[in-house]
Amino acid sequence: MGCICNCFVGLLNSVLLTVGIGFVISGAYLNINGNSDCEKVLTTPLIVMGGLLLILSLIGIMGTSCSSTFCMYIYLTLMFLLILGVIAFTIFVFMITNQAVGKAIADSEKVIEPKNPMDFSNWLAKKVNKENNWKKIKSCLIDARLCTTDEYKLEFNFLVLVDQAACCKPPDVCGFTQKNKSVWEVPKSGPSSKNKDCKKWSNDGDKMCFECDSCKVGVVENLKREWKALALINICLLAFLILIYMLGCCAFCS
């Protein structure tokens, strides 16, 4: 039984090794070929995660191939810590991407506050709305030429599938008249709504509605979708890691 477990652990760790190498290569590729900081935003996470998987898988392969009790002990300890980390991160992602996320940013005249100290639903919105963070995000949206691409299509930079209507045009309630794709005329009587975004709109291609609350809400909602997808991937990864850990324990105890 122990020999069978060793073989499976070695095989699964070979898969982890391949994944780790892929992450490191992807991170290095983005770092070398990225045209902007937005394209390089995933460089560090990919290289760090890839490096951790490389080290972990190599220790596991050494432990099973050399029948090293010491290596297996280190391997199982690190694997247990990694599993705990993935569980904690997955729970955190689900907590910050519930239905209330994004509503912390004023979409008209109101701001919804957390209901209790354990409500993390506004965490993502607050991070996006933070001045320094928004400057970087706005720069990425401008560099990606969001408002010149086809609707719902954006080259891979920092954000994808951001609703252009939220950032590239004034809110409909403002009552502006569209002259062409990027130019809107304000009625002589002024905006038809007191919505703050009406005053923030500019026909300047580098300004437009990138400071609008509606744009920030659109970014938050997009991040929420992407993080939820990441949480689902984490669940699959978690199941894979737990399987390897159980087989590793079996091989260690045999």
Side-chain angles (χ1 to χ4, degrees):
M1 182 66 179
C3 181
I4 296 176
C5 289
N6 269 329
C7 291
F8 273 111
V9 171
L11 178 62
L12 293 176
N13 275 291
S14 297
V15 175
L16 274 185
L17 180 64
T18 303
V19 173
I21 293 174
F23 279 6
V24 171
I25 292 176
S26 298
Y29 177 82
L30 285 176
N31 187 53
I32 295 172
N33 295 288
N35 295 321
S36 67
D37 291 336
C38 301
E39 292 180 337
K40 298 179 181 180
V41 69
L42 292 177
T43 296
T44 300
L46 283 173
I47 292 178
V48 171
M49 187 62 180
L52 290 175
L53 291 179
L54 275 173
I55 294 172
L56 185 63
S57 58
L58 286 174
I59 294 175
I61 292 173
M62 289 173 59
T64 53
S65 60
C66 302
S67 299
S68 172
T69 302
F70 176 74
C71 285
M72 286 301 295
Y73 179 79
I74 297 297
Y75 171 74
L76 291 175
T77 301
L78 293 176
M79 179 65 75
F80 180 73
L81 293 176
L82 179 59
I83 289 173
L84 289 181
V86 173
I87 291 174
F89 180 71
T90 303
I91 293 174
F92 175 70
V93 169
F94 277 116
M95 290 176 68
I96 66 173
T97 56
N98 62 38
Q99 292 182 353
V101 72
K103 294 182 180 179
I105 299 177
D107 54 6
S108 57
E109 264 77 43
K110 64 179 182 178
V111 175
I112 296 179
E113 298 293 342
K115 295 179 180 179
N116 59 68
M118 292 303 293
D119 181 6
F120 289 90
S121 61
N122 293 335
W123 183 87
L124 192 57
K126 288 180 179 178
K127 285 292 183 181
V128 168
N129 203 30
K130 193 174 181 181
E131 184 177 359
N132 289 338
N133 292 338
W134 183 249
K135 284 182 179 179
K136 295 177 182 178
I137 295 173
K138 182 176 68 173
S139 175
C140 288
L141 295 175
I142 294 173
D143 290 345
R145 301 176 63 82
L146 172 67
C147 296
T148 60
T149 58
D150 294 334
E151 190 170 6
Y152 299 117
K153 291 182 180 180
L154 177 63
E155 293 180 2
F156 175 73
N157 285 293
F158 179 69
L159 299 167
V160 295
L161 300 178
V162 177
D163 184 358
Q164 288 180 308
C167 303
C168 304
K169 63 184 289 290
D172 293 336
V173 295
C174 298
F176 293 175
T177 302
Q178 186 174 14
K179 293 300 181 182
N180 56 49
K181 186 176 181 179
S182 59
V183 177
W184 294 74
E185 186 178 77
V186 181
K188 294 181 179 179
S189 58
S192 58
S193 171
K194 293 182 180 180
N195 191 312
K196 295 178 181 178
D197 285 353
C198 298
K199 294 182 178 180
K200 295 177 181 178
W201 165 260
S202 171
N203 287 318
D204 187 330
D206 288 338
K207 296 180 180 179
M208 305 191 82
C209 221
F210 290 123
E211 286 296 339
C212 294
D213 291 334
S214 59
C215 183
K216 295 176 182 179
V217 170
V219 170
V220 171
E221 290 301 319
N222 177 68
L223 286 173
K224 181 180 69 172
R225 289 191 296 268
E226 292 183 350
W227 280 48
K228 280 185 176 180
L230 177 61
L232 294 177
I233 294 174
N234 280 346
I235 291 175
C236 297
L237 175 62
L238 184 61
F240 185 65
L241 293 176
I242 290 176
L243 174 63
I244 299 178
Y245 182 76
M246 292 174 63
L247 292 173
C249 288
C250 178
F252 181 71
C253 296
S254 300

